[in-house]
Amino acid sequence: MYGILFEILRNYVDETFGPSTWEAAVQIVNGQQLEIETNRNYSTRLLTRIISTLCEFIGLPEEDIYYEFGIKSVDYLSNNGFQSLLQVLGKNYIDFLHNVNEMHEYLHYSYPKIKPPNIQVTSINHNVITLVYSSVREEFAHYLRSQLIYIAKLYFQLDVSAKLVDKRKQAASHIYTFKLYNKGLSWIELLEKDNQLNKYISLLDLTVSLPEKEFLGILPFHLVLTKDMTIKRVGKGFSCLRNDISGKEFVTCFLISKPKTNPNFDEVDLLKMLRKLMRIAASKEQ
């Protein structure tokens, strides 16, 4: 668990209960004060023990601290350069829920040892969204619950409630099921409203034409592939990694590490990959 979460928790405790409360809890758990480096990896157990000790001092249930901790984490990310990332995850709240795992993929670049949870919408009906949260960490269900509610309000102007209805353990994962309710329009009505907006947008003429050379020139990490997966054209970004890949077979130069797929033209077709994050790694020059 990265130090950024320790930093967020410390700021929350300092602002709400005073610096002495944080210092006393850390001293008991760690034996000395903690020097926090946001990009350093710390033990999850250290964080959860600090929270447990804080709750003993303050006299609040742990779920209350995790709930507020979740809200403060959203505020911290929003105020430190991640607001645009949160906003582009979906044009509406349901899109956001479907795409939130991609945010964790993005965070891998800054925090390569991150162990993200998996969040999956399993059903949507008129009144309720069912969402399943899986994590190797047991304690963070109410941390997520507050974020589901707060992000709905902050970015989508929705009054959402989230109820934890089930929890179980499967192998090394802790699996939690939430039911999400909106106090305004039903989920289906919200989707229908968004579809109507899309119809109006589609009536607008937003076509912009660019010559192929100019268009590809603004995409430094582009590849143009033939049907037989030969690399026909390479962007400048890839050329900086290897300058000999034009004309070679894709599979001799790159490995698709996400999503797991066969490296043929049909599988990597752009239209099929638009809603997925494709991660490719350049092979070493032979």
Side-chain angles (χ1 to χ4, degrees):
M1 176 166 288
Y2 278 94
I4 186 172
L5 288 177
F6 286 80
E7 180 72 11
I8 294 167
L9 179 63
R10 181 178 66 180
N11 290 341
Y12 159 59
V13 174
D14 285 355
E15 292 171 4
T16 309
F17 306 105
S20 61
T21 304
W22 170 263
E23 292 168 1
V26 170
Q27 188 68 36
I28 289 174
V29 172
N30 196 47
Q32 59 184 0
Q33 290 307 302
L34 188 64
E35 293 293 331
I36 299 174
E37 300 174 30
T38 56
N39 281 70
R40 178 183 168 188
N41 206 16
Y42 295 83
S43 163
T44 300
R45 179 64 177 156
L46 177 60
L47 183 77
T48 58
R49 287 180 62 205
I50 290 173
I51 291 176
S52 296
T53 304
L54 284 168
C55 290
E56 292 177 8
F57 288 165
I58 300 165
L60 290 176
E62 288 191 19
E63 67 181 58
D64 288 4
I65 297 297
Y66 280 102
Y67 189 94
E68 294 299 324
F69 182 22
I71 291 174
K72 295 300 182 182
S73 295
V74 173
D75 283 339
Y76 184 94
L77 292 174
S78 297
N79 295 330
N80 287 275
F82 290 93
Q83 180 175 351
S84 58
L85 174 62
L86 291 169
Q87 289 175 321
V88 301
L89 286 176
K91 61 183 182 295
N92 57 51
Y93 184 61
I94 294 174
D95 267 0
F96 172 84
L97 295 177
H98 280 301
N99 295 327
V100 69
N101 289 325
E102 303 299 346
M103 179 183 69
H104 295 126
E105 291 293 339
Y106 177 85
L107 291 175
H108 262 295
Y109 294 103
S110 298
Y111 305 99
K113 294 183 180 180
I114 191 174
K115 296 179 180 178
N118 183 69
I119 297 170
Q120 182 179 5
V121 174
T122 57
S123 69
I124 303 173
N125 64 34
H126 204 72
N127 297 313
V128 62
I129 292 175
T130 303
L131 180 142
V132 176
Y133 160 69
S134 304
S135 175
V136 295
R137 301 181 180 94
E138 183 179 4
E139 299 87 356
F140 282 76
H142 292 284
Y143 176 88
L144 174 67
R145 186 170 72 88
S146 69
Q147 294 178 336
L148 294 171
I149 295 169
Y150 188 53
I151 288 173
K153 179 180 180 180
L154 185 64
Y155 290 112
F156 302 100
Q157 295 75 53
L158 297 177
D159 189 359
V160 169
S161 61
K163 183 178 180 182
L164 177 61
V165 296
D166 185 58
K167 58 181 179 180
R168 59 190 173 90
K169 187 173 182 183
Q170 182 175 311
S173 294
H174 299 273
I175 301 173
Y176 300 87
T177 302
F178 292 90
K179 299 288 187 182
L180 307 181
Y181 305 89
N182 183 41
K183 295 179 182 178
L185 296 174
S186 73
W187 296 118
I188 301 302
E189 288 170 330
L190 283 171
L191 285 174
E192 290 173 347
K193 181 181 178 181
D194 194 63
N195 288 336
Q196 287 295 321
L197 178 61
N198 288 339
K199 288 180 182 178
Y200 287 121
I201 292 174
S202 67
L203 296 176
L204 300 175
D205 184 5
L206 301 176
T207 303
V208 177
S209 297
L210 281 177
E212 178 184 350
K213 186 175 181 179
E214 290 184 25
F215 174 69
L216 294 177
I218 63 176
L219 303 172
F221 284 93
H222 75 265
L223 294 173
V224 178
L225 305 176
T226 63
K227 285 278 189 178
D228 63 359
M229 295 294 286
T230 299
I231 300 171
K232 181 181 177 181
R233 182 165 175 164
V234 183
K236 291 181 179 179
F238 282 124
S239 296
C240 291
L241 299 176
R242 285 185 57 174
N243 59 11
D244 66 334
I245 61 178
S246 183
K248 292 190 175 182
E249 292 185 18
F250 177 86
V251 293
T252 65
C253 302
F254 294 96
L255 171 69
I256 300 175
S257 61
K258 184 183 186 300
K260 297 297 183 183
T261 186
N262 295 320
N264 60 61
F265 190 84
D266 288 337
E267 288 295 320
V268 300
D269 184 283
L270 175 61
L271 294 177
K272 294 181 180 179
M273 303 308 298
L274 276 175
R275 295 184 63 85
K276 299 179 182 178
L277 174 68
M278 178 183 281
R279 183 186 297 163
I280 64 175
S283 304
K284 291 183 178 179
E285 189 171 349
Q286 300 296 320

